[in-house]
Amino acid sequence: MNVTLVQGDITEQEVDAVVNAANSSLMGGGGVDGAIHRRGGPEILAECRRLRASHYGKGLPTGQAVATTAGRLPARWVIHTVGPVYSRSEDRSESLASCYRESLRVADTLKARSVALPAISTGIYGWPMDDAARIALEAVRQAGTAVEDVRFVLFDAAAYAVFEARLPG
Ligand code: ADP
């Protein structure tokens, strides 16, 4: 498995699957979620609604992942995962690691070879970037996936630098 870093917009990535930092409602939101639905078009939300009705009446639980079409995005699939909200008083890092593991497990079921991942939970959900990068890189390294190209897409130069400092080699 090849882990690479890119600074940019996850919606522009030409990969088999892009991972969405969704919220549990699967009905869209801000940040990565907003960008994916805006650019991918209404087909993604339509499939999210069907998933809510068929499988996730109470919403997608934190740490789990589920795939939909990618609509008009260059990717074939969007894998939606729900990161934990950062907490100072409770250690939720296992749940954040689970987002990465589950996203790659779903990617394997789709036979995706290349996957773009955002820095889950580091936006609206408030996770400090350095700690999130440590958890993300470790979770991906330990995932045991057939995905060959794992690409972290960091939105700004600061986030890119934090991930780069933690990437071995
Ligand atoms: P969460 O709710 O899990 O915190 P956000 O989408 O708010 O998710 O933010 C997650 C990370 O993604 C943040 O570091 C944010 O700066 C970054 N981000 C926001 N938009 C994009 C985008 N279009 N492509 C890649 N990363 C993005």
Side-chain angles (χ1 to χ4, degrees):
M1 184 213 304
N2 200 16
V3 179
T4 53
L5 308 178
V6 172
Q7 189 192 328
D9 183 337
I10 199 161
T11 65
E12 293 173 1
Q13 303 302 309
E14 300 199 353
V15 285
D16 294 332
V18 297
V19 171
N20 181 18
N23 62 54
S24 132
S25 78
L26 295 178
M27 292 298 125
V32 172
D33 203 7
I36 283 177
H37 283 288
R38 256 194 318 278
R39 188 132 183 207
E43 231 187 303
I44 302 175
L45 195 59
E47 208 174 318
C48 284
R49 284 190 203 286
R50 286 195 292 274
L51 277 170
R52 275 298 300 271
S54 61
H55 286 84
Y56 301 106
K58 293 181 180 159
L60 181 64
T62 304
Q64 293 191 24
V66 69
T68 67
T69 172
R72 295 195 291 259
L73 297 181
R76 291 177 66 189
W77 300 285
V78 173
I79 298 172
H80 307 263
T81 188
V82 182
V85 175
Y86 181 69
S87 164
R88 282 174 195 278
S89 55
E90 189 189 8
D91 182 7
R92 297 178 179 166
S93 42
E94 180 47 38
S95 171
L96 183 56
S98 170
C99 288
Y100 290 101
R101 279 198 305 268
E102 287 300 301
S103 295
L104 291 172
R105 190 186 59 74
V106 170
D108 282 336
T109 68
L110 300 167
K111 303 202 187 310
R113 291 291 181 218
S114 54
V115 176
L117 295 157
I120 298 164
S121 289
T122 63
I124 297 158
Y125 286 180
W127 209 293
M129 190 62 75
D130 186 52
D131 197 47
R134 176 184 63 78
I135 294 163
L137 289 166
E138 197 173 292
V140 161
R141 248 195 324 270
Q142 292 174 353
T145 172
V147 175
E148 290 160 3
D149 171 13
V150 173
R151 188 182 307 180
F152 282 98
V153 183
L154 294 323
F155 207 38
D156 55 36
Y160 183 93
V162 168
F163 268 73
E164 194 181 29
R166 289 216 172 255
L167 195 67

